[in-house]
Structure formats: structure tokens, C-alpha cells
Amino acid sequence: MVDEQNDAVDEAIADAVRKPDQKWFSDRIRDRNLTQRALAKLLEMDPSSLSLLLHGKRRMRVEQAAEIARLLNVPVEDVMRRAGADVLGSSERNSIPLVGWIDADGVAKIDWTKSDHRVDFDTDLPPTAAAIQYRTAQTKADMFDGWLAAILPPRAPEEGAMIDRMCVVGLKGGGTLLRRVRRGYTPGRYTLISVFVDPIHDAELAWFSPVLFIRPV
């Protein structure tokens, strides 16, 4: 199931690939007093791999676009567009399905097949994005009650796309959590961080879903 959804994400992005705007990327990299090689190092990516992305020889994933946007201090939708991947048009870009919720302990309940209830975001999101909602009234996480997180469908664990970012993760053996992911003490395992509960060390992950955007109420 994860592989099929992973393929669907890649296909949805690939459907609308245009030629990347290499000059735009070069200008933005120069604006940050960086070189392409220096940017690749910050991305923990081989310089040749970054070159393939920026020249349209390799598909740029949303997670990679988000990290490039952070380092270049530009909106992620600009990076996606300049890389040649379409995002949702302005007439429908804000409406995505609400597929689940999160409790105060960061436990997530998700049904990826749900599409009857939709919610709005004031930012561009890829066509495969979905939302989950914080339902934490009268708990230690009450301040987040009603907030919405935009996420992507689950895909196989990919360390470069997970480390030091907020993700929904599926644990091997069962359980779905919203956590910040860090490297574990054992290769191939991860430390899962939450503000409200103790960390989980050396967790084995079956899949992950990156958080693209969080919308307060």
C-alpha cells in the first residue's frame, strides 16, 4: 500500500513537469551568498544530485522543495513552480480533504480514503495533500485545539526527508504518531520527539508522511 501511494505522489507531480527555471535558482542561491555546491552541502546532498534536480533531470520531491525554500528564504510554492512542478491553481488550491485527527499525546487517527469533508489553506499545496486536525480541547495541548496540518500520503522511510522535521509516522508493529524525527542510536532507527510526552528512542518506522504546513485557528 505504501509503495502504491508513493508511486501515486511521484506520478501526480510528474504529470505537470515543465522545464526548470535555472536562472531563478542561480539568482536566489547568489542572493543568499551561497554556491550550488554549498547549498548541496546544507541539504546533505551530493552536488551532482542537486544539479540533476535544478536541471530537470530528476524529479524534485515536495520535501526537497520545502528544504530548499527554507535555505533560500523563499516560499515553497515558488520553488515548486520554478522546478517545473505544478501546484493547485488559485481557484481550488486551498481545499484539501480532512482525513483524520491528532490527540494531545500526538496519536493520529487517519483514514486516507476520506474525502467528504474538506478544509481550506491559504497557501499552495500539491494535489495529493490532505489535512489532519488537532483535537486537544481541555488537555495539556489545548492551545493547539482546532489547528490543521497539511500532509502528504505515506511513503517508505527516507532519512534525508525526515530528519529534524515534523512528520506523521507509522510504527512497525502498529501505531501512528505525529512527531519530530531525529536519528536514533541504532542505524535505521529514529528518535521521535514531542513537546508533551517523553521521546521514543530507536523507533522502527514502516512509513512516514511529511508535514507541509500547519494552520492555526
Side-chain angles (χ1 to χ4, degrees):
M1 173 179 152
V2 171
D3 288 340
E4 291 174 357
Q5 290 171 320
N6 185 20
D7 291 342
V9 172
D10 289 340
E11 289 170 7
I13 295 174
D15 282 344
V17 170
R18 302 185 305 273
K19 185 177 179 181
D21 187 344
Q22 297 173 31
K23 183 179 185 303
W24 184 87
F25 280 106
S26 296
D27 289 346
R28 298 295 80 72
I29 291 169
R30 186 172 58 252
D31 289 346
R32 301 296 289 174
N33 294 316
L34 293 170
T35 64
Q36 188 169 304
R37 181 173 292 273
L39 178 62
K41 184 175 182 180
L42 292 172
L43 292 165
E44 298 183 352
M45 180 184 294
D46 186 270
S48 62
S49 296
L50 179 60
S51 179
L52 289 173
L53 286 179
L54 300 185
H55 285 78
K57 304 298 184 182
R58 182 175 295 173
R59 186 182 310 123
M60 185 181 293
R61 293 179 177 171
V62 175
E63 306 96 288
Q64 293 169 324
E67 187 62 12
I68 291 171
R70 183 182 70 82
L71 292 170
L72 298 183
N73 195 30
V74 295
V76 66
E77 53 266 28
D78 285 0
V79 172
M80 292 175 65
R81 285 199 180 99
R82 299 292 182 168
D86 279 340
V87 293
L88 295 180
S90 59
S91 64
E92 56 178 342
R93 68 183 185 185
N94 298 328
S95 179
I96 61 175
L98 181 65
V99 297
W101 53 274
I102 316 152
D103 69 15
D105 292 324
V107 175
K109 302 293 184 183
I110 299 176
D111 179 356
W112 297 98
T113 66
K114 291 181 63 175
S115 61
D116 53 328
H117 185 186
R118 304 182 72 85
V119 292
D120 292 338
F121 279 78
D122 293 327
T123 188
D124 289 329
L125 294 167
T128 52
I132 52 177
Q133 186 175 49
Y134 287 82
R135 296 184 180 176
T136 54
Q138 300 299 307
T139 70
K140 56 195 171 187
D142 183 76
M143 68 183 73
F144 297 109
D145 186 47
W147 287 29
L148 294 165
I151 60 176
L152 288 176
R155 61 193 310 149
E158 184 180 343
E159 187 166 293
M162 298 189 303
I163 298 302
D164 291 326
R165 72 174 299 172
M166 192 70 73
C167 299
V168 177
V169 297
L171 302 178
K172 284 188 176 178
T176 303
L177 304 172
L178 177 68
R179 293 288 192 274
R180 184 169 296 279
V181 180
R182 293 184 180 172
R183 289 185 178 88
Y185 299 102
T186 303
R189 300 193 179 191
Y190 303 92
T191 298
L192 306 179
I193 306 294
S194 170
V195 175
F196 299 105
V197 296
D198 292 336
I200 299 173
H201 297 290
D202 273 358
E204 292 188 86
L205 303 184
W207 55 267
F208 85 108
S209 170
V211 174
L212 304 177
F213 191 83
I214 293 180
R215 194 202 81 181
V217 292

